[in-house]
Amino acid sequence: AQSVAQPEDQVNVAEGNPLTVKCTYSVSGNPYLFWYVQYPNRGLQFLLKYITGDNLVKGSYGFEAEFNKSQTSFHLKKPSALVSDSALYFCAVSLSGGYNKLIFGAGTRLAVHP
Amino acid sequence: EPEVTQTPSHQVTQMGQEVILRCVPISNHLYFYWYRQILGQKVEFLVSFYNNEISEKSEIFDDQFSVERPDGSNFTLKIRSTKLEDSAMYFCASSGPPGTGGEAFFGQGTRLTVV
């Protein structure tokens, strides 16, 4: 069965420091990997995706993620965190072209402190 | 920028009543989805819809639930005989035709409270 794991419930980082939000997945076949962000009382906003090609993908708001096939990971990163990055981040995986259902991780709350 | 819109933003209903949650997907999208998020839990897939029929549904999506695309723009989720445990945030999403990337775009959600 397909699954996504986000091992950290919360990540705390000081503003200006680099951040990493971890994600690992378990799927059969080639995964399509996504990161979404959810601000309070808002919907899910698409940040970035990996389908094929370069393992490092860049997305919105300065975020990037690195696909590691051998470790089945897709960690979200940002070189310099902003207080406004504080939100709930979800990793998700899809199969077969990305048009099938998304399987979400449990989410990681990112808290960036001034 | 095109967006998925959902109405209402908040719905309170009595247990046993029927509710209809409404969504207007992005206009050129072909794939439509409903997800739900019970407070404090992960986002769960309910159903996907393509070419005017359900393409996949989860075990959550039983006979209590139905979806419909009654016209060229709306996509609805009907929940019959609501139960307390149906209280959740319901998200509609849509994604574009093949070749456009496959990412789903989500609406702001409808918070359903069953009392």
Side-chain angles (χ1 to χ4, degrees):
Chain A
Q2 293 87 22
S3 65
V4 177
Q6 293 181 243
E8 302 152 316
D9 290 337
Q10 179 152 332
V11 169
N12 297 295
V13 63
E15 187 174 32
N17 283 0
L19 69 88
T20 299
V21 182
K22 296 179 180 177
C23 171
T24 59
Y25 63 90
S26 174
V27 299
S28 54
N30 293 322
Y32 289 65
L33 295 157
F34 304 85
W35 276 100
Y36 286 83
V37 60
Q38 184 179 33
Y39 296 98
N41 300 313
R42 304 290 299 277
L44 297 160
Q45 294 180 35
F46 169 75
L47 274 181
L48 50 77
K49 66 185 177 190
Y50 172 82
I51 296 177
T52 187
D54 288 341
N55 290 340
L56 185 65
V57 293
K58 295 186 183 297
S60 307
Y61 312 119
F63 283 93
E64 57 190 29
E66 186 167 14
F67 171 65
N68 188 315
K69 187 173 183 178
S70 63
Q71 297 185 1
T72 61
S73 67
F74 189 57
H75 300 331
L76 181 70
K77 300 180 180 184
K78 187 173 182 181
S80 179
L82 299 172
V83 173
S84 57
D85 293 329
S86 299
L88 190 56
Y89 290 81
F90 290 96
C91 181
V93 65
S94 180
L95 299 175
S96 303
Y99 299 102
N100 287 338
K101 65 184 179 187
L102 289 168
I103 300 165
F104 283 88
T108 298
R109 187 164 301 281
L110 174 66
V112 182
H113 305 285
Chain B
E1 183 176 329
E3 59 181 16
V4 176
T5 57
Q6 289 185 243
T7 54
S9 56
H10 192 184
Q11 173 94 41
V12 180
T13 189
Q14 289 198 331
M15 191 168 51
Q17 295 297 304
E18 175 182 286
V19 295
I20 297 177
L21 310 183
R22 303 181 189 279
C23 169
V24 179
I26 294 173
S27 62
N28 66 337
H29 283 186
L30 301 178
Y31 301 82
F32 313 114
Y33 315 85
W34 284 100
Y35 291 82
R36 80 174 184 189
Q37 184 182 30
I38 296 173
L39 186 64
Q41 299 185 23
K42 67 168 62 176
V43 179
E44 302 173 291
F45 168 77
L46 291 178
V47 64
S48 58
F49 193 86
Y50 171 71
N51 199 25
N52 286 320
E53 61 183 22
I54 290 173
S55 49
E56 187 176 0
K57 60 183 180 180
S58 72
E59 58 187 24
I60 302 169
F61 195 89
D62 58 20
D63 292 343
Q64 184 193 5
F65 295 88
S66 62
V67 290
E68 195 175 41
R69 188 157 163 81
D71 52 41
S73 60
N74 290 286
F75 180 51
T76 63
L77 173 69
K78 182 187 291 186
I79 309 175
R80 288 179 283 274
S81 189
T82 49
K83 298 174 281 192
L84 294 176
E85 54 263 40
D86 295 326
S87 296
M89 182 74 90
Y90 289 80
F91 292 108
C92 174
S94 67
S95 57
T100 59
E103 62 267 28
F105 292 87
F106 285 76
Q108 303 284 57
T110 293
R111 181 171 299 283
L112 177 65
T113 303
V114 182
V115 297

